[in-house]
């Protein structure tokens, strides 16, 4: 995740009591000499005031406090990049932001390098110091310097601060969205196509033939189909993939049709496009390299990013939703069923305990929690299986594959072929079973006197055993290591 952007946020709370501006900073963020000198001067001033019956030095005390406030404000406003050693960890900032957003007294706040500026309106009850202490004590670690600096504000000043934060927040959001979309338009899309030649040759493309590539991705397979003179309908649920494929395959003009959607709806998607039957269907299941390599997409435990994992960024549930909201036993079932994770129960228990303290919002947080429960053994990171499981659950990958296997065949013309590339045993098992059901002329059961005709029999197996990448392909692209290609042909 990029930690370059300060988090700036305005809440909708209303002014309704004494108002304050509070500055908090991370322990160690303010130069210790400055903090010590300030405390010493303040101590001396207070002692002098006590000796003089608390008279005379109020102006100097106020000036001293405002000096420190300025120092802290400069620190808080400084960009994160310029002070790498004092960088406020994004996860910690998010945890504080969550607590501030949940506090009805908070008018608005800004989190930045090593600190926080918070505007409050207290409706009674708790005092400022107690409130700050509660926010900070709720955190997993006592990271904030307490007591923070507190300045009393008039309601007008508090309202003005809230309006300014609101405007700043809106401007930052608009800038970030513009930057993101500019980056997405131009970002290179590096995905090395797996079993490219094998899959396309078995689909027998030729001029005039029509194919559906149900997992368009960067368009590597589609490109070969188009080069053979065929037309392609390319489906992908990821807008970044559709954009990349559109750029790469632009030279093929009207022979390429890009369709936004999930291949679980393949029949409806093709019907809507006016396509009734095709000569071949290809699915190269799973995620693309750009999805896993981009920290912002939240698929990788190797890079810190938001805990997302949605192939379709508009989908409702992200990995953070599952991790923070599912009951413990459902979470454990996901880790067990989709990740074959033996420690699923212990991991789910640890996750539920951690999220009770503060929500788990980043891949780094989750990977660290998993590593606490499962010390690293061997080459694989202990989070590998859990991240795979969550990804499969977030995108309902097995449900979508089942729907594709059920509806794909009906799209094929007689003699049309379906080629599916999978990357883990759960997917391959589903494809193998579905293809067996469709290609077995008869079925037999121990209780039957003789085999009976199979009502689902509709195709023949083209690959008796799955095709796997050659040693040369594996040497060039280790990510292809678990790929398996299975192909059938409709009668
Ligand atoms: C392995 S990549 C395909 C790469 C492509 N064959 C190439 O050579 O560039 C898989 C792609 O399928 C997409 N995808 C996965 N599941 C999908 C689904 N259920 N519906 C639509 N797209 C899906 C992903 O977003 C990703 O872009």
């Amino acid at each position: 995740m990029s930690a370059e952007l300060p988090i700036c946020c305005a809440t909708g709370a209303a002014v309704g009591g004494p108002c304050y501006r509070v500055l908090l900073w991370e322990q160690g963020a303010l130069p210790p000499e400055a903090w010590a000198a300030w405390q010493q001067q303040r101590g001396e001033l207070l002692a002098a005031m006590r000796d003089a019956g608390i008279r005379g030095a109020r102006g100097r005390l106020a000036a001293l406090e405002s000096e420190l406030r300025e120092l802290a404000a400069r620190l808080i406003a400084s960009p994160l990049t310029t002070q790498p050693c004092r960088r406020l960890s994004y996860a910690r900032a998010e945890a504080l932001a969550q607590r501030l957003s949940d506090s009805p007294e908070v008018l608005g706040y800004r989190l930045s390098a090593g600190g926080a500026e918070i505007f409050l309106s207290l409706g009674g009850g708790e005092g400022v110091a107690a409130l700050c202490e509660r926010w900070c004590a709720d955190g997993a670690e006592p990271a904030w310097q307490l007591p923070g600096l507190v300045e009393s504000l008039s309601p007008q000043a508090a309202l003005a601060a809230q309006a300014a934060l609101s405007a700043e927040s809106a401007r930052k959001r608009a800038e970030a969205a513009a930057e993101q979309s500019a980056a997405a338009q131009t970002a290179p899309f590096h995905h090395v196509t797996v079993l490219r030649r094998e899959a396309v040759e078995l689909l027998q493309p030729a001029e005039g033939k029509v194919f559906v590539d149900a997992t368009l991705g960067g368009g590597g397979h589609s490109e070969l189909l188009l080069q053979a003179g065929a037309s392609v309908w390319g489906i992908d649920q990821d807008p970044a993939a559709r954009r990349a494929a559109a750029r790469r395959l632009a030279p093929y003009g009207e022979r390429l049709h890009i369709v936004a959607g999930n291949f679980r709806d393949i029949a409806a998607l093709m019907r809507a496009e006016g396509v009734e039957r095709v000569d071949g269907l290809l699915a190269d299941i799973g995620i693309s390299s750009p999805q896993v390599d981009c920290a912002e997409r939240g698929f990788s435990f190797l890079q810190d990013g938001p805990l997302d994992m949605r192939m379709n960024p508009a989908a409702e549930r992200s990995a953070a939703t599952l991790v923070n909201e599912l009951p413990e036993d459902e979470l454990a079932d996901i880790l067990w069923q989709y990740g074959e994770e033996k420690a699923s129960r212990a991991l789910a228990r640890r996750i539920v305990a951690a999220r009770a303290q503060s929500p788990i919002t980043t891949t780094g947080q989750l990977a660290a929690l998993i590593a606490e429960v499962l010390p690293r053994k061997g080459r694989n990171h202990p989070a590998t299986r859990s991240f795979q499981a969550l990804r499969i659950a977030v995108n309902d990958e097995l449900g979508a594959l089942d729907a594709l296997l059920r509806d794909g065949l009906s799209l094929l013309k007689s003699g049309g072929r379906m080629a599916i590339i999978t990357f883990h045993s759960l997917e391959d098992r589903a494809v193998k079973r579905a293809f067996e059901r469709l290609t077995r002329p008869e079925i037999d059961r121990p209780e039957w006197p003789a085999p009976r005709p199979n009502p689902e029999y509709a195709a023949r197996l083209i690959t008796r055993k799955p095709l796997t990448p050659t040693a040369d392909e594996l040497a060039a692209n280790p990510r292809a290591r678990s790929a398996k290609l299975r192909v059938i042909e409709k009668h």
Side-chain angles (χ1 to χ4, degrees):
M1 175 188 298
S2 149
E4 316 286 307
L5 270 182
I7 302 175
C8 162
C9 187
T11 74
V15 171
C19 301
Y20 301 94
R21 171 180 182 232
V22 177
L23 298 175
L24 299 179
W25 60 95
E26 244 192 323
Q27 273 169 14
L30 202 66
E33 325 76 67
W35 176 232
W38 184 84
Q39 277 183 307
Q40 191 187 341
Q41 283 183 57
R42 187 169 188 271
E44 283 166 7
L45 266 180
L46 285 174
M49 285 165 74
R50 253 194 320 275
D51 292 347
I54 311 291
R55 255 184 264 118
R58 281 189 196 282
R60 279 172 57 205
L61 187 63
L64 187 65
E65 292 203 332
S66 111
E67 211 176 275
L68 186 67
R69 248 196 312 275
E70 261 173 44
L71 184 62
R74 263 205 310 281
L75 179 80
I76 289 167
S78 63
L80 291 174
T81 42
T82 59
Q83 296 184 319
C85 58
R86 295 178 193 152
R87 179 176 287 192
L88 172 73
S89 94
Y90 208 94
R92 191 186 292 155
E94 281 200 318
L96 179 64
Q98 180 70 45
R99 287 190 284 278
L100 296 175
S101 308
D102 292 343
S103 301
E105 307 85 354
V106 174
L107 300 171
Y109 59 87
R110 179 194 293 123
L111 298 183
S112 171
E117 180 180 26
I118 305 157
F119 294 90
L120 292 171
S121 174
L122 289 181
E126 216 167 13
V128 184
L131 191 60
C132 294
E133 269 187 51
R134 185 157 55 78
W135 291 329
C136 300
D138 282 353
E141 34 183 344
W144 304 98
Q145 187 75 53
L146 284 174
L149 275 180
V150 180
E151 181 189 13
S152 187
L153 291 181
S154 68
Q156 292 81 351
L159 277 173
Q162 190 183 36
L165 274 182
S166 242
E168 189 180 341
S169 171
R171 185 173 54 74
K172 288 236 156 72
R173 275 203 308 274
E175 276 172 14
E179 239 170 63
Q180 214 176 19
S181 100
Q185 303 289 343
T186 53
F189 192 99
H190 292 300
H191 178 83
V192 182
T193 300
V194 174
L195 292 166
R196 187 171 190 242
R197 193 182 39 76
E198 293 87 339
V200 173
E201 270 176 12
L202 288 174
L203 285 170
Q204 303 177 318
E207 209 165 315
K209 283 193 173 182
V210 177
F211 290 88
V212 184
D213 181 348
T215 51
L216 181 62
H221 286 110
S222 284
E223 187 171 49
L224 275 193
L225 295 169
L226 291 158
Q227 279 171 0
S231 295
V232 174
W233 300 81
I235 303 174
D236 207 297
Q237 59 177 330
D238 182 348
R242 296 196 299 272
R243 270 194 304 271
R247 272 200 306 270
R248 174 175 179 174
L249 304 177
Y252 300 96
E254 301 207 330
R255 282 195 287 122
L256 172 73
H257 309 263
I258 296 185
V259 181
N262 191 307
F263 63 58
R264 68 164 62 247
D265 306 316
I266 194 159
L269 289 171
M270 289 299 106
R271 215 177 306 122
E273 296 287 325
V275 179
E276 283 190 4
R277 292 277 181 277
V278 296
D279 296 283
L281 187 162
L282 170 75
D284 173 16
I285 307 289
I287 43 176
S288 65
S289 298
Q291 285 167 334
V292 79
D293 293 340
C294 172
E296 294 293 329
R297 302 294 302 261
F299 284 97
S300 170
F301 47 80
L302 297 176
Q303 311 175 66
D304 198 15
L307 190 54
D308 193 322
M309 302 195 192
R310 287 169 300 173
M311 290 191 212
N312 171 5
E316 226 169 82
R317 296 186 329 171
S318 68
T321 321
L322 300 190
V323 163
N324 290 298
E325 293 179 14
L326 281 187
E328 185 178 321
D329 54 346
E330 280 182 44
L331 203 50
D333 287 349
I334 285 177
L335 301 182
W336 170 245
Q337 283 169 13
Y338 301 150
E340 295 170 351
E341 173 55 75
K342 291 198 189 79
S344 57
R345 305 269 150 218
L347 283 176
R349 204 174 315 125
R350 181 71 190 89
I351 289 171
V352 168
R355 78 189 189 191
Q357 300 296 313
S358 68
I360 301 163
T361 54
T362 67
T363 53
Q365 273 176 296
L366 182 61
L369 276 180
I370 294 171
E372 271 175 33
V373 178
L374 291 177
R376 190 174 189 132
K377 275 195 218 137
R379 281 176 48 219
N380 286 345
H381 190 287
T384 311
R385 290 180 298 277
S386 301
F387 270 62
Q388 170 188 299
L390 284 169
R391 192 202 91 199
I392 293 176
V394 166
N395 297 290
D396 186 22
E397 292 179 31
L398 295 176
L401 178 58
D402 279 347
L404 178 72
L405 291 167
R406 191 189 58 227
D407 298 342
L409 200 77
S410 59
L411 261 184
L412 293 180
K413 293 176 186 166
S414 170
R417 289 185 172 187
M418 170 152 49
I420 309 230
I421 302 171
T422 59
F423 288 86
H424 58 76
S425 54
L426 295 170
E427 290 168 344
D428 183 55
R429 208 175 303 150
V431 177
K432 184 177 171 200
R433 287 199 183 138
F435 282 9
E436 273 170 5
R437 254 198 341 269
L438 294 168
T439 56
R440 205 183 304 143
E442 294 180 320
I443 36 181
D444 199 0
R445 296 241 174 95
E447 65 272 25
W448 293 346
R452 297 179 187 174
N454 172 11
E456 291 186 87
Y457 179 49
R460 74 181 175 102
L461 269 181
I462 299 297
T463 47
R464 299 234 143 257
K465 288 231 148 63
L467 288 191
T468 52
T470 60
D472 280 352
E473 177 169 0
L474 287 178
N477 180 18
R479 282 183 173 175
R481 65 186 169 278
S482 39
K484 287 190 174 156
L485 166 66
R486 294 181 187 269
V487 183
I488 54 171
E489 181 182 286
K490 188 172 175 179
H491 288 146

